[in-house]
Amino acid sequence: MSSRLPPLNPLRAFEAAARHGSVSLAAHELNVTHGAISHQIKALEATLDVKLFERGAQRLKLTAQGALLLPAVSNAFAEIAAATAMVKRPTTSGELSITCVPALLSLWLIPRLNQFTEQYPDIRLTLTASNDPDHLRSPDVDICILYGDGNWADCWTRLWSHLRLFPVVSPTLLNSRPLRTLRDLRDHVMLHADDGREWNTWLAAADATGLPRGPQHFMSDARLSTEAALHGQGVALGDTITASDLIAKGELIVPFGLTVPANDAFYVTCRNEVRAAPIVRVFIDWLFASLGADSIAEPQTAARHIIRRRNGKIAGEPAAKGNARSLVSKQAPARQAKRRLKP
């Protein structure tokens, strides 16, 4: 494939001359003579058998063929420069720019950020809340932590974590408005972090799609719906990653033990040339090690009820309103009274 590419030096001369609109300025930038730049441009034109500049103008002007070639050459040199700078970075110092799913950034990464800072005090992080895969093409972003299907072309991608979804609610709201059965959901505001598909999936798994619903609010991401639930605004769908700390601290309660797999997963991804940088490897390794250090049990393994089918009806036990940590860290006491969940 490399045999089909023009020589590097003529490409550099062409790009600099086109960018400056001047052979003299290109020669000054590349620290060569005016004649050397002219010679390299003519050599490139001979190789390609096209004219790249219109001759005779006071300022260099690209031909149609030159205008077609310039963006690709400029982008290629920019990527080479960025990759070279990344490779030269020391392993444990420098700047690192990261975009992350908003809910994961706020509720999981930032609470653990001090652990990374203590281990790598000379790495300065720029954190941006975003789930936009277009950042993968930005030279200003080093690492993207995305929620999706993992199919992003021309980049390095690694699955970070699958997750499961389940309803969460604040204990304050439960104290004023019970949520003992699935039918009680109609008395609560249903908080959506998408267009409603995730709640529909959960209700279908609970065999409760036909239940009447009360008010509903739709939000742009799970961080907002989780924060709304924290403030007692309704019932949201939490997940086994971002809601785990809030459940352990008793700020959120899992009223029903049924969980469903999320449609997508969390992935760590970056451009292929960036992956080779030592500072990037340091953060990615820390990210996976931190996840491995978390011992998060799925709520249905420890919640105080299990939704199941019994004679065509949904049955189970209600979750405790007391110590919410039991929902993720230990089994509830066997003496908890059992109640039926009726649709």
Side-chain angles (χ1 to χ4, degrees), residues 147 162-165 198 239 260-265:
Y147 178 71
H162 290 291
L163 60 158
R164 299 184 68 85
L165 305 175
E198 290 181 341
D239 65 70
V260 296
N263 292 329
D264 293 315

Side-chain angles (χ1 to χ4, degrees), residues 161-178:
S161 179
H162 290 291
L163 60 158
R164 299 184 68 85
L165 305 175
F166 47 87
V168 290
V169 64
S170 75
T172 302
L173 181 60
L174 285 189
N175 286 337
S176 61
R177 191 173 302 168

Side-chain angles (χ1 to χ4, degrees), residues 100-341:
C100 183
V101 181
L104 185 64
L105 178 60
S106 295
L107 302 174
W108 189 92
L109 182 55
I110 287 179
R112 292 160 176 78
L113 198 58
N114 64 309
Q115 301 170 14
F116 180 82
T117 302
E118 291 171 0
Q119 190 171 355
Y120 303 102
D122 296 326
I123 295 181
R124 298 180 300 279
L125 299 179
T126 298
L127 300 172
T128 301
S130 174
N131 193 40
D132 187 353
D134 284 345
H135 286 299
L136 285 169
R137 295 189 289 270
S138 171
D140 297 325
V141 175
D142 300 314
I143 301 170
C144 296
I145 307 171
L146 299 172
Y147 178 71
D149 58 13
N151 293 323
W152 300 290
D154 301 325
C155 62
W156 177 89
T157 300
R158 182 179 171 187
L159 173 67
W160 188 68
S161 179
H162 290 291
L163 60 158
R164 299 184 68 85
L165 305 175
F166 47 87
V168 290
V169 64
S170 75
T172 302
L173 181 60
L174 285 189
N175 286 337
S176 61
R177 191 173 302 168
L179 188 53
R180 297 187 180 93
T181 70
L182 289 173
R183 189 174 294 276
D184 290 336
L185 278 172
R186 65 183 176 183
D187 299 324
H188 290 265
V189 177
M190 191 173 288
L191 303 170
H192 297 271
D194 64 354
D195 57 3
R197 284 176 291 179
E198 290 181 341
W199 263 113
N200 289 340
T201 299
W202 189 88
L203 289 169
D207 196 26
T209 54
L211 290 179
R213 302 188 190 185
Q216 302 182 66
H217 293 321
F218 294 83
M219 303 179 185
S220 62
D221 59 68
R223 175 184 59 181
L224 298 179
S225 62
T226 300
E227 288 179 354
L230 281 170
H231 288 286
Q233 303 298 324
V235 185
L237 281 181
D239 65 70
T240 41
I241 301 294
T242 63
S244 60
D245 289 347
L246 298 171
I247 296 169
K249 291 186 291 186
E251 296 180 23
L252 287 177
I253 285 178
V254 182
F256 308 115
L258 176 68
T259 74
V260 296
N263 292 329
D264 293 315
F266 290 131
Y267 291 87
V268 182
T269 182
C270 63
R271 296 184 303 284
N272 290 310
E273 65 272 17
V274 173
R275 172 60 180 152
I279 195 173
V280 171
R281 294 200 303 268
V282 161
F283 183 84
I284 291 176
D285 289 346
W286 173 83
L287 197 64
F288 279 91
S290 297
L291 178 66
D294 283 352
S295 55
I296 304 173
E298 292 187 1
Q300 82 272 20
T301 65
R304 297 189 179 185
H305 82 281
I306 301 173
I307 296 179
R308 60 186 180 275
R309 294 298 302 270
R310 180 182 296 171
N311 297 327
K313 295 183 179 181
I314 300 172
E317 306 168 32
K321 295 182 183 179
N323 184 5
R325 182 178 295 271
S326 64
L327 296 174
V328 293
S329 61
K330 61 183 180 179
Q331 293 287 347
R335 63 179 178 273
Q336 175 68 23
K338 295 185 177 181
R339 299 174 183 173
R340 283 183 174 272
L341 280 175

